[in-house]
Amino acid sequence: GASVLLLRACLALLASPIYLMSFLGLWEPFCKKFFFPCVLDKLCVVYDKKSRKYKQELFRNLPDFRGSSGQLRLLEIGTGSGTNFQFYPSGCTVICTDINPNFQESLSKNMKKNQHLHYEQFLVAAGEDLRQVPSGSVDAVVCTLVLCSVTSVSSTLKEVLRVLRPGGAFFFLEHVAAEHSSWKYFWQQVYFPTWKLIFAGCCLTRELWKNLEEAKFSELKLQHIRVDMPWMPIKPHIVGYGVK
């Protein structure tokens, strides 16, 4: 515990300009509008290469959840720049949601690249509050690298279950806490406060599989995997889907 606190203090010292900006109320608006969208675009290039095989395997099951009309209506929580679009089946209707509206430039580029999809609307909304989406109105909900930063995981999963039709599915790929006895978890604890500040509320030590197991899915397919991001404390992941 003492070593974690000491290393946290050292890291906070290195990041002191950001802590000062946060104290003055300047960091959050700068991060939301400029820093986070820019950094996320760069990170996504690397992340997509490392996670591609997992995404391909995960999303190949999407057509199985088409509605009675034969169409697939999909809602994505935390769409960001739209890097998942390439994996969605042709003809799929997509509703994009994100709490941060400042991804529009890169989002528009990915929409143009992926014209095999129909884009219904973009909603500025948090995962915990999808009131703009009617209950039971979508066949699938997708969430990748988002549950780490929502205010309430349980509230987000309740909203997921509400908007899904019976028989619909929630697809996820999320980084999670490492084994508590591992060095990875030690360093996740060290990085935690500074990482959360810099990366818009991202929490490194959430055990999200527990939240998913506690949610009221009739069926849950969940696998623990490792995505090897260089020099990043987010290697342990979970991937899978839950059926309403």
Side-chain angles (χ1 to χ4, degrees):
S3 57
V4 167
L5 293 175
L6 177 61
L7 289 168
R8 278 183 178 180
C10 294
L11 192 58
L13 186 62
L14 290 172
S16 56
I18 295 175
Y19 277 91
L20 178 60
M21 288 179 68
S22 178
F23 177 76
L24 296 174
L26 302 174
W27 175 251
E28 186 175 350
F30 173 77
C31 179
K32 186 177 181 180
K33 191 169 184 179
F34 299 107
F35 178 81
F36 194 57
C38 180
V39 169
L40 199 63
D41 277 349
K42 301 293 188 297
L43 286 177
C44 279
V45 174
V46 179
Y47 185 82
D48 284 348
K49 290 179 181 178
K50 300 291 185 179
S51 64
R52 186 173 185 82
K53 64 179 180 180
Y54 299 113
K55 286 188 176 184
Q56 286 176 328
E57 178 67 19
L58 174 66
F59 293 133
R60 74 181 177 86
N61 294 320
L62 275 170
D64 296 341
F65 295 95
R66 289 190 179 104
S68 56
S69 65
Q71 300 297 312
L72 180 70
R73 193 161 184 260
L74 181 153
L75 180 145
E76 182 167 359
I77 298 174
T79 306
S81 59
T83 57
N84 288 330
F85 292 162
Q86 60 187 304
F87 302 104
Y88 297 160
S90 183
C92 173
T93 296
V94 181
I95 302 167
C96 305
T97 73
D98 204 294
I99 197 171
N100 187 346
N102 295 298
F103 291 97
Q104 288 294 343
E105 185 177 345
S106 52
L107 181 63
S108 296
K109 287 179 182 178
N110 273 318
M111 284 179 168
K112 289 176 182 177
K113 286 181 185 177
N114 295 279
Q115 295 191 12
H116 64 291
L117 305 175
H118 303 297
Y119 302 101
E120 184 172 309
Q121 58 183 326
F122 177 86
L123 303 174
V124 179
E128 302 93 330
D129 184 6
L130 300 171
R131 68 180 73 178
Q132 299 172 77
V133 184
S135 299
S137 63
V138 298
D139 304 303
V141 176
V142 170
C143 190
T144 60
L145 301 186
V146 173
L147 293 180
C148 59
S149 56
V150 297
T151 304
S152 171
V153 178
S154 60
S155 296
T156 300
L157 293 177
K158 283 179 183 177
E159 278 291 80
V160 166
L161 286 164
R162 182 186 66 78
V163 301
L164 278 173
R165 64 164 176 81
F170 172 56
F171 289 77
F172 56 88
L173 174 64
E174 299 284 345
H175 70 81
V176 294
E179 288 284 342
H180 285 205
S181 59
S182 68
W183 279 106
K184 290 186 185 72
Y185 186 70
F186 173 83
W187 287 109
Q188 283 180 336
Q189 288 180 300
V190 170
Y191 286 126
F192 183 90
T194 300
W195 183 275
K196 186 176 181 181
L197 174 63
I198 293 175
F199 291 100
C202 175
C203 297
L204 291 171
T205 57
R206 285 185 174 173
E207 298 176 331
L208 295 171
W209 63 90
K210 294 181 179 179
N211 299 97
L212 287 159
E213 288 166 355
E214 290 167 1
K216 296 178 180 178
F217 291 106
S218 61
E219 179 185 354
L220 181 63
K221 303 282 189 181
L222 187 151
Q223 182 183 2
H224 288 260
I225 61 170
R226 174 188 171 102
V227 178
D228 287 318
M229 291 290 288
W231 305 103
M232 300 282 277
I234 58 169
K235 293 180 181 180
H237 279 60
I238 55 171
V239 62
Y241 64 90
V243 181
K244 178 176 176 178

